[in-house]
């Protein structure tokens, strides 16, 4: 159960969201403008904010920037536009995840669970560096540089391990390719093939393929995410 702020100006979408979230036993507050949202996060503590990008008063990117100015609360962007450049920009600007409308309740719940899990995992404090990351049957120990799948040790190259560990630290979150290049390869630019090649090797070791992904999901033009199989 989480405390959720829904920022959505469309009355119909808004009441549907509130109903679904309340049914899932979350506590919900809702507003219809970005300025009201800023006031809400300044006064109440939320576990997650669902932010519509098409608000009447402020541009979505602007609203996100202002939210980030006052709070670290996880933000899931809800957008009708499936403009990839815009989505990548917002992920880089501090959004934790996004949903493209229309989305299903299951989809929303999955994204929320992932974001909350991540926020919870990070909330434990600095000791988190020594902890083993677990995503489904995957266990990744960043300190010992060991990884296993369903109890069987994975024989990974250094880069494959880094890639897996980085993604496992953000389960369910789409990581933009640019961020992977910067964080795993320490390159500010590079060619997408570098990532694709390592991903395909990693996939093979996890016993999956791009056509039938289990853990590793590639969103064309957007990025990559790791999440437990459904
Ligand atoms: Ca709207």
């Amino acid at each position: 159960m989480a405390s959720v702020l829904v920022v959505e100006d469309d009355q119909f979408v808004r009441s549907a969201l509130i109903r679904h979230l309340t049914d899932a036993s979350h506590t919900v507050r809702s507003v219809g403008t970005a300025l009201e949202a800023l006031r809400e996060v300044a006064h109440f503590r939320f576990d997650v904010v669902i932010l519509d990008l098409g608000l009447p008063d402020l541009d979505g990117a602007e609203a996100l920037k202002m939210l980030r100015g006052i709070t670290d609360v996880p933000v899931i962007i809800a957008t009708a536009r499936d403009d990839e450049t815009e989505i990548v920009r917002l992920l880089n600007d501090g959004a934790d995840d996004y949903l493209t409308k229309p989305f299903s309740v299951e989809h929303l719940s999955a994204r929320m669970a992932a974001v909350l899990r991540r926020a919870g995992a990070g909330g434990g404090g600095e000791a988190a560096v020594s902890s083993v990351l677990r995503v489904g049957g995957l266990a990744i120990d960043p300190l010992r540089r060991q990884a296993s799948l369903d109890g069987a040790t994975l024989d990974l190259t250094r880069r494959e391990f880094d890639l897996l560990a980085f993604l496992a630290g953000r389960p369910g979150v789409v990581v933009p390719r640019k961020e992977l290049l910067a964080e795993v390869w320490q390159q500010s630019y590079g060619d997408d093939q570098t990532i694709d090649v390592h991903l395909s090797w990693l996939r093979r070791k996890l016993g999956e393929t791009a056509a039938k992904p289990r853990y590793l999901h590639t969103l064309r033009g957007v990025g990559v995410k790791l999440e437990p199989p459904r």
Side-chain angles (χ1 to χ4, degrees), residues 8-10 52-55 101:
E8 170 64 68
D9 61 321
D10 183 315
D52 172 34
L53 279 193
L55 292 170
K101 292 178 189 174

Side-chain angles (χ1 to χ4, degrees), residues 138-186:
L138 277 171
I140 295 126
D141 185 338
L143 271 192
R144 294 192 177 78
R145 298 189 65 83
Q146 287 169 354
S148 63
L149 175 60
D150 300 328
T153 303
L154 292 168
D155 182 19
L156 304 178
T157 64
R158 187 172 65 87
R159 202 68 95 182
E160 287 162 2
F161 182 87
D162 289 345
L163 180 59
L164 185 64
F166 188 77
L167 291 170
R170 297 148 187 76
V173 175
V174 181
V175 181
R177 286 168 169 273
K178 226 182 181 165
E179 189 177 337
L180 280 181
L181 271 177
E183 298 292 335
V184 179
W185 277 266
Q186 270 91 46

Side-chain angles (χ1 to χ4, degrees), residues 121-122 124-133 140-145:
E126 276 53 57
V129 279
S130 65
S131 64
V132 175
L133 302 165
I140 295 126
D141 185 338
L143 271 192
R144 294 192 177 78
R145 298 189 65 83

